[in-house]
Amino acid sequence: MNTLLAVDIGGTKTLLELSSLQGEVIVEQKFDSQQYESFDLLLSEFFAQEEVSKHTVVSACFGVAGPVVGKQAIVTNLPWTLDADELAQQFSIEHVHLCNDFVAVGYGIDCLTDDEIEVLQEGEPDLSMPKAVIGAGTGLGQALMFPEKDAWKVVATEGGNVDFAPTDQNQVRLLEHMMQRFDHVSYECIVSGPGLVIIYDFLRGYQQRVENPNLRQAMIDGDPAAAISEFALKQCDELAIEALDMFIKIYGAQAGNLALSVIPMAGLYIAGGIAAKNIERFQDAGFLDAFRAKGKMRHLVEKIPVYVILQPKVGLMGARLLAQQSVV
């Protein structure tokens, strides 16, 4: 049976989906990205499975968390490189398409239902204008979307790696702290899972706060950023709450920077698991206050619709759509 392969490659996890040419899912699997020295080793393991090996993949799309130039891609937070021609030859795939993971997210937005999107700011939508998407996970992805006939043209950016600009004294101190550790302090250094941990550790050290030992143990035992979020939301840990609130405020400021750069009157979309899993905090004033704090341009950003994507597989959905287009 001829099939499609959609892959969402991230610094922490890689999602693979085998589907029919009509998009009906046959196999879906998640891999721990950091357990593999190269992507082809991971893909070989996936193809070796009995349920997968009996199908023929005719078209594949790989959404990569990193820059894609021509037929080559580099994963930003892993020592992986991908070459479309080499993957096509090694795995006998007729069509191989590489794209930035947020290009896949951008195309996936059209696949979402209303209940997979949360409105943060109604704004004044104008579908003749661009859209934009930003999302924090292991890194900070961004993409632009422009109306093109009856569809959207999605363009990748590396805007998450622009210089971090603090907006208050606490953030100035955070920047000074980070400048001692990094050659370049970008928004991605802060607005990401690792960034939330940096903020937490900075506040704990700078304010000489007594740490909740249960939280520290949870950070050691599992995903430290997820532990901070959980203790902020469920355990009402003051230090965790302060760290998450600072993170969300910086996130909102950078989302506002993107909004000013693009004027996405058709909508600014917030993707990534951090926003979806902490939706209650994003609905509080901190995110939108920072998003709107643009001085004389405040009146403009207040008109831009802002949405949170609740569907964690939006990138996979977009990759499947792009794989389908190669065989239509």
Side-chain angles (χ1 to χ4, degrees), residues 149-203:
K149 297 181 181 178
D150 295 326
W152 293 90
K153 173 68 174 177
V154 186
V155 179
T157 85
E158 286 297 332
N161 291 292
V162 301
D163 302 337
F164 168 55
T167 59
D168 60 33
Q169 284 302 311
N170 251 355
Q171 292 182 27
V172 169
R173 296 184 188 102
L174 173 64
L175 175 59
E176 291 171 344
H177 167 76
M178 296 187 71
M179 287 175 68
Q180 296 172 6
R181 299 180 54 187
F182 301 98
D183 292 334
H184 176 234
V185 183
S186 67
Y187 273 96
E188 178 170 280
C189 289
I190 300 167
V191 184
S192 59
L196 176 56
V197 179
I198 288 172
I199 292 172
Y200 174 85
D201 287 335
F202 159 73
L203 291 173

Side-chain angles (χ1 to χ4, degrees), residues 52-252:
V52 177
S53 62
K54 64 185 181 182
H55 298 289
T56 300
V57 175
V58 295
S59 181
C61 177
F62 302 93
V64 181
V68 178
V69 180
K71 293 187 176 183
Q72 294 188 320
I74 298 173
V75 185
T76 300
N77 294 304
L78 287 173
W80 291 2
T81 59
L82 284 74
D83 183 286
D85 291 338
E86 291 178 2
L87 289 168
Q89 183 176 7
Q90 182 177 351
F91 296 100
S92 301
I93 304 172
E94 186 176 350
H95 301 284
V96 171
H97 180 67
L98 301 181
C99 67
N100 176 269
D101 60 335
F102 267 72
V103 168
V105 169
Y107 283 109
I109 287 173
D110 274 350
C111 303
L112 298 174
T113 58
D114 289 346
D115 62 355
E116 293 173 325
I117 297 173
E118 181 73 25
V119 179
L120 286 190
Q121 176 169 278
E122 290 281 357
E124 299 175 11
D126 180 351
L127 295 182
S128 69
M129 296 287 283
K131 294 179 181 179
V133 58
I134 181 172
T138 306
L140 180 64
Q142 295 183 186
L144 316 178
M145 304 170 64
F146 300 97
E148 187 178 72
K149 297 181 181 178
D150 295 326
W152 293 90
K153 173 68 174 177
V154 186
V155 179
T157 85
E158 286 297 332
N161 291 292
V162 301
D163 302 337
F164 168 55
T167 59
D168 60 33
Q169 284 302 311
N170 251 355
Q171 292 182 27
V172 169
R173 296 184 188 102
L174 173 64
L175 175 59
E176 291 171 344
H177 167 76
M178 296 187 71
M179 287 175 68
Q180 296 172 6
R181 299 180 54 187
F182 301 98
D183 292 334
H184 176 234
V185 183
S186 67
Y187 273 96
E188 178 170 280
C189 289
I190 300 167
V191 184
S192 59
L196 176 56
V197 179
I198 288 172
I199 292 172
Y200 174 85
D201 287 335
F202 159 73
L203 291 173
R204 178 178 55 83
Y206 174 73
Q207 298 175 354
Q208 297 184 332
R209 300 275 284 276
V210 176
E211 184 177 33
N212 183 334
N214 294 328
L215 172 51
R216 176 52 62 178
Q217 192 59 50
M219 292 171 68
I220 293 169
D221 292 342
D223 180 343
I228 293 167
S229 296
E230 181 181 354
F231 272 70
L233 292 171
K234 297 180 181 178
Q235 307 293 331
C236 297
D237 181 89
E238 290 186 9
L239 182 56
I241 290 170
E242 191 172 340
L244 185 58
D245 285 350
M246 188 175 189
F247 173 91
I248 289 172
K249 186 175 181 180
I250 296 170
Y251 200 160

Side-chain angles (χ1 to χ4, degrees), residues 9 12 21 25 29 35 38 48 51 83 88-89 95 126 135 143 146 148 151-153 265 267 292 308 311:
I9 300 171
T12 301
L21 299 185
V25 177
Q29 197 163 357
Q35 296 299 311
S38 64
E51 180 64 19
D83 183 286
Q89 183 176 7
H95 301 284
D126 180 351
F146 300 97
E148 187 178 72
W152 293 90
K153 173 68 174 177
M265 296 305 300
R292 295 165 177 162
V308 174
Q311 170 55 262

